[in-house]
Amino acid sequence: MSIGIVAAAFFSSSCHETEERQDASHGWIVDRFDDIKVLRYEVPGFDQLPLEQKKLIYYLNQAALCGRDILYDQNNKYNLAIRRVLESVYAAYPGDRSVPEWKAFEKYLKKVWFANGIHHHYSTDKFIPEFTPEYFESLVRATPDSVFPQDLQPLSSLLETLRPVMFDSACCAKRVAQQEGIDMIVQSANNYYDGVTQAEAEAYYAAKADPNDPEPVSYGLNSQLVKNGRGEIEERVWRVGGMYSPAIEKIVYWLEKAAGVANGTQKETIEALIAYYRTGDLREYDRYNILWVQDTLSHVDFVNGFTETYGDPLGYKASWEGLVNFRDDEATKRTEVISDSAQWFEDHSPVDPQYKKKQVKGVSAKVITAAILGGDCYPATPIGINLPNADWIRKEYGSKSVTIQNITHAYAEAAKGNGFMEEFMLRPEDRALIERYGTICDDLHTDLHECLGHGSGQLAPGVRGDELKNYGSTLEEARADLFALYYLADPKLVELGVIPDPEAYKAEYATYMMNGMMTQLTRIQPGKDVEEAHMRNRKLIAEWCYEKGAADSVVVKMQQDGKTYIVVNDYVKLRELFGQLLREVQRIKSEGDFEAGKALVETYGVKVDPALHGEVLERYARLNLEPYSGFVNPRYRPVMENGEIIDVQIEYVDDYAAQMMEYSKNYSFLPSKN
Ligand code: ZN
């Protein structure tokens, strides 16, 4: 599981509106287009690492970049072809690049890169080019034929295929469709299923599941489910020799190099991952995860593989991602204090005792410095990750959770002085608290969410964990957020010395309620519902507490000068409400109560008040901020002597388009059609 930036807009920034703002965010923003800004991040401490660790990072960094094409193809089967056509034109079109149509073309390509495909990375809606099909076709015709990859030829028939895919809003409209009452598999434009219906997919995996297996395999995680020529349903497994083999072979190549410089458990862990990539055997994947979660000592760590299932409305299929990092020892003292008290937090939570873990095992938490982001972590990246996802491994072996501090630092730096809080937070005393404690509370929220929240609780006997279906992700995020919110206000945190002031938590409460009820709507287009799991979760929590606390005016909507504000009147009661909802959400998960989960999400997490939405969009537009951010990576360059790596140097990159073109040149291994 992973978490993104909590307050969508809080961390946004601007460098257009005033000179002052430009100065404040100077150097952190490398590109801006549409609703997106691209930042750079720093990797403090890399230069001081010992050579063996630098080599390990270098090899793992290569492995993290080699899976980029996989994600494009997972997101939609036309993505690779589209990206390559666009890039060929971008590289070699000889005509006029100063006209508005070209600018629109460039913007579209930047959006495709950012989303790893033609659907918005967050809303999963297809975005339509702001140029005509005729203009696009004229660009392709004017570009020399030889520039286009062989497997796109003949271009005329390709263009015919791509025309509706790119320009017709009804075609491939949504990458992840999960509205009530539709066939979520047929309606989703992702490439996880081909020719099968939701009912067929559900029946297929229901038949595979063994309810008595105490170590249930994550069926479907690493395969495409298709109907073959004989009308039978089968899986195309992502492994060496299977689907995506050319990219996976490269990943394995670099992992083998990495294993060569790793030692102990880490070496064994990387070898298990290689074995899994070779066989596609999900028992091997579990073995790898068990080794990985137990390796808490290695300074360098990584995520590499088919990991998160947010892109599949049924939650079976995992998108490919890569992340390489090393521990921030100083900041990790904070999370160690928290994870050392994991049992105390579990015992004192408001959850029904039968759904608490009797013995919290192996919760480890650390603060890390990201060295490279790949696959589904790039360019948009989580700020916290908790893995592995399999419930039984979490219960038996624990989980590892991280807060990515050099990324949150970059967000905070880029957001300085952007005017957002002045616009949306009414009371000066709340703003002062946020100014003072906002960053530490955000980091702590991430620590608690990942390390304790996702790791807490247990299922009732006989409950598998997939009963909540399309509501599962939202409710799981709600559970983790509520755990974090509840404990942020606990005197225990002051006692443990991780928070300096018993009032500090109010900064997070005020921001969370404002964001959940109002400002996160800046990410939603007019007329649309809230769909992404983390956003639904935040809305669900905020709206539920608002309604349940209405009689006591715990949280109120206030009007001033024609503007709406969310104001928390009673922080103590709000904490009680968080606790009540945590108890209920844990019950729903533990019992696999689909109907109750559905009611909670549909009632509080989905529907948007159009008037408030319009107001928020209008106020936000005036601030000239982008609601989404992502990152360019640094580049690692080995220094060679007599065929040996004697050092690895880090180079910071500040050209987003150039980095994307470089990745497409150096790390593109899959055919356009897979
Ligand atoms: Zn989470």
Side-chain angles (χ1 to χ4, degrees):
M1 266 97 35
S2 65
I3 187 175
I5 275 293
V6 174
F10 175 32
F11 289 103
S12 293
S13 69
S14 165
C15 54
H16 282 319
E17 205 163 35
T18 66
E19 280 296 296
E20 194 182 75
R21 279 182 204 174
Q22 196 157 10
D23 286 340
S25 59
H26 182 75
W28 291 93
I29 300 174
V30 301
D31 209 344
R32 309 175 75 192
F33 47 90
D34 206 51
D35 57 356
I36 285 158
K37 67 180 173 301
V38 181
L39 315 178
R40 58 189 278 274
Y41 62 92
E42 292 181 339
V43 189
F46 178 81
D47 287 334
Q48 286 76 46
L49 293 175
L51 178 60
E52 287 306 293
Q53 292 185 12
K54 284 184 179 175
K55 281 197 217 169
L56 181 58
I57 288 175
Y58 173 69
Y59 293 138
L60 291 170
N61 134 80
Q62 295 290 71
L65 294 174
C66 287
R68 178 167 173 258
D69 280 0
I70 297 175
L71 180 67
Y72 274 82
D73 194 70
Q74 288 181 314
N75 283 344
N76 183 264
K77 64 178 168 186
Y78 300 108
N79 277 341
L80 284 172
I82 291 171
R83 189 190 83 200
R84 285 169 180 158
V85 174
L86 298 172
E87 286 173 345
S88 302
V89 169
Y90 185 73
Y93 174 64
D96 188 353
R97 296 188 176 214
S98 64
V99 295
E101 291 91 338
W102 177 265
K103 298 292 171 207
F105 170 82
E106 207 172 18
K107 176 172 158 188
Y108 180 72
L109 175 54
K110 286 184 175 182
K111 288 168 72 173
V112 169
W113 280 327
F114 195 88
N116 294 285
I118 58 173
H119 299 89
H120 192 277
H121 74 288
Y122 210 81
S123 74
T124 85
D125 290 326
K126 189 173 83 174
F127 38 80
I128 307 292
E130 293 166 39
F131 49 85
T132 63
E134 292 72 27
Y135 176 72
F136 174 58
E137 284 159 25
S138 77
L139 293 180
V140 174
R141 275 196 302 273
T143 303
D145 251 25
S146 57
V147 184
F148 296 92
Q150 267 304 313
D151 71 356
L152 296 182
Q153 311 280 358
L155 291 170
S156 54
S157 71
L158 177 77
L159 288 176
E160 209 171 304
T161 308
L162 294 188
R163 195 169 176 142
V165 177
M166 286 174 60
F167 294 93
D168 179 353
S169 58
C171 171
C172 302
K174 204 157 184 65
R175 178 162 59 81
V176 189
Q178 46 189 343
Q179 300 95 305
E180 254 217 299
I182 60 166
D183 186 316
M184 293 186 282
I185 296 309
V186 172
Q187 297 295 320
S188 293
N190 64 39
N191 194 24
Y192 292 129
Y193 303 86
D194 200 4
V196 293
T197 65
Q198 182 180 340
E200 286 169 334
E202 284 173 344
Y204 182 87
Y205 288 113
K208 285 206 156 204
D210 171 3
N212 298 316
D213 187 349
E215 301 182 353
V217 160
S218 305
Y219 285 113
L221 189 79
N222 65 336
S223 66
Q224 186 192 41
L225 195 69
V226 297
K227 213 171 257 180
N228 67 21
R230 297 182 298 281
E232 298 153 353
I233 295 175
E234 64 178 27
E235 286 187 317
R236 296 177 70 206
V237 178
W238 305 326
R239 61 174 172 84
V240 172
M243 194 174 179
Y244 301 143
S245 186
I248 295 173
E249 286 164 39
K250 296 286 181 190
I251 295 167
V252 165
Y253 170 86
W254 289 109
L255 287 177
E256 283 177 333
K257 297 258 186 203
V261 293
N263 33 40
T265 316
Q266 187 154 50
K267 185 179 170 69
E268 210 186 327
T269 305
I270 297 171
E271 284 167 353
L273 177 59
I274 293 169
Y276 160 63
Y277 272 134
R278 289 194 189 285
T279 59
D281 181 348
L282 288 164
R283 298 256 177 228
E284 285 292 283
Y285 181 61
D286 286 345
R287 186 170 75 86
Y288 152 70
N289 274 309
I290 291 165
L291 286 164
W292 179 82
V293 79
Q294 290 177 318
D295 177 17
T296 54
L297 295 177
S298 297
H299 193 62
V300 174
D301 206 351
F302 67 97
V303 177
N304 186 301
F306 306 104
T307 310
E308 304 285 3
T309 58
Y310 300 111
D312 173 7
L314 299 183
Y316 292 114
K317 313 286 173 197
S319 61
W320 192 89
E321 69 178 39
L323 167 73
V324 185
N325 64 80
F326 55 94
R327 193 167 52 233
D328 178 337
D329 288 317
E330 186 53 37
T332 293
K333 288 174 188 158
R334 178 184 85 218
T335 54
E336 276 173 355
V337 165
I338 293 170
S339 57
D340 286 349
S341 303
Q343 191 68 53
W344 186 93
F345 286 105
E346 186 77 0
D347 293 345
H348 290 79
S349 90
V351 162
D352 187 329
Q354 61 179 317
Y355 301 136
K356 289 182 187 182
K357 278 202 172 80
K358 304 294 167 276
Q359 216 187 340
V360 180
K361 281 186 198 163
V363 173
S364 75
K366 58 186 173 179
V367 178
I368 59 166
T369 302
I372 200 83
L373 311 167
D376 219 356
C377 294
Y378 171 84
T381 188
I383 56 168
I385 301 179
N386 178 297
L387 292 171
N389 283 330
D391 271 309
W392 74 268
I393 301 180
R394 304 165 71 80
K395 192 167 168 229
E396 294 303 318
Y397 299 92
S399 63
K400 215 152 61 169
S401 86
V402 300
T403 304
I404 313 176
Q405 199 141 298
N406 59 331
I407 296 294
T408 60
H409 177 71
Y411 276 122
E413 286 299 316
K416 277 186 178 161
N418 69 9
F420 177 76
M421 279 299 162
E422 289 73 14
E423 175 61 36
F424 288 104
M425 188 62 74
L426 180 64
R427 295 190 303 212
E429 61 267 36
D430 289 328
R431 290 204 298 269
L433 267 179
I434 291 162
E435 177 86 20
R436 198 148 171 213
Y437 297 122
T439 308
I440 176 68
C441 279
D442 277 334
D443 282 342
L444 268 173
H445 177 101
T446 307
D447 298 341
L448 292 165
H449 172 110
E450 296 295 350
C451 154
L452 301 182
H454 281 310
S456 71
Q458 66 177 10
L459 303 178
V463 175
R464 291 189 312 273
D466 64 356
E467 289 81 357
L468 301 175
K469 295 184 190 174
N470 51 315
Y471 301 106
S473 292
T474 297
L475 291 163
E476 177 56 25
E477 294 311 323
R479 201 174 69 86
D481 258 4
L482 286 162
F483 202 96
L485 289 165
Y486 180 78
Y487 276 118
L488 262 178
D490 202 287
K492 183 80 177 173
L493 292 187
V494 181
E495 185 193 307
L496 290 172
V498 294
I499 210 165
D501 180 337
E503 307 291 295
Y505 77 93
K506 292 179 179 174
E508 189 72 11
Y509 278 26
T511 314
Y512 196 93
M513 294 303 291
M514 173 191 79
N515 185 53
M517 290 179 68
M518 226 169 80
T519 49
Q520 70 166 348
L521 298 178
T522 56
R523 293 179 159 195
I524 306 287
Q525 287 177 352
K528 301 252 171 161
D529 289 339
V530 178
E531 294 188 76
E532 198 276 337
H534 296 83
M535 284 185 71
R536 281 186 166 187
N537 130 55
R538 291 170 197 143
K539 185 167 186 306
L540 182 171
I541 291 173
E543 298 278 1
W544 189 93
C545 292
Y546 173 72
E547 187 187 291
K548 300 297 169 189
D552 297 329
S553 300
V554 175
V555 180
V556 294
K557 276 186 198 159
M558 287 182 67
Q559 299 288 327
Q560 190 167 304
D561 303 329
K563 294 177 178 178
T564 309
Y565 297 90
I566 307 297
V567 176
V568 180
N569 280 327
D570 190 332
Y571 285 100
V572 175
K573 284 217 174 95
L574 180 56
R575 186 189 183 210
E576 286 167 20
L577 290 168
F578 287 146
Q580 283 173 29
L581 186 56
L582 171 59
R583 185 181 171 95
E584 172 61 3
V585 172
Q586 181 63 57
R587 184 198 67 74
I588 289 171
K589 168 155 180 162
S590 292
E591 298 175 5
D593 187 344
F594 176 81
E595 287 306 325
K598 174 180 164 185
L600 210 47
V601 177
E602 292 291 343
T603 309
Y604 299 101
V606 180
K607 292 285 170 223
V608 177
D609 168 4
L612 181 62
H613 190 195
E615 181 199 319
V616 169
L617 290 177
E618 193 254 323
R619 287 164 67 186
Y620 192 69
R622 270 189 271 121
L623 293 173
N624 195 23
L625 306 176
E626 298 85 2
Y628 299 99
S629 306
F631 292 87
V632 288
N633 279 317
R635 191 192 294 113
Y636 296 89
R637 211 180 270 296
V639 182
M640 308 295 290
E641 201 177 279
N642 303 323
E644 290 285 313
I645 296 179
I646 55 157
D647 192 17
V648 178
Q649 287 175 348
I650 183 168
E651 298 169 357
Y652 290 105
V653 173
D654 59 9
D655 188 333
Y656 167 72
Q659 175 154 87
M660 289 297 179
M661 291 298 276
E662 179 187 321
Y663 283 0
S664 292
K665 180 165 168 268
N666 297 336
Y667 300 100
S668 195
F669 306 112
L670 294 183
S672 299
K673 195 172 185 311
N674 288 278

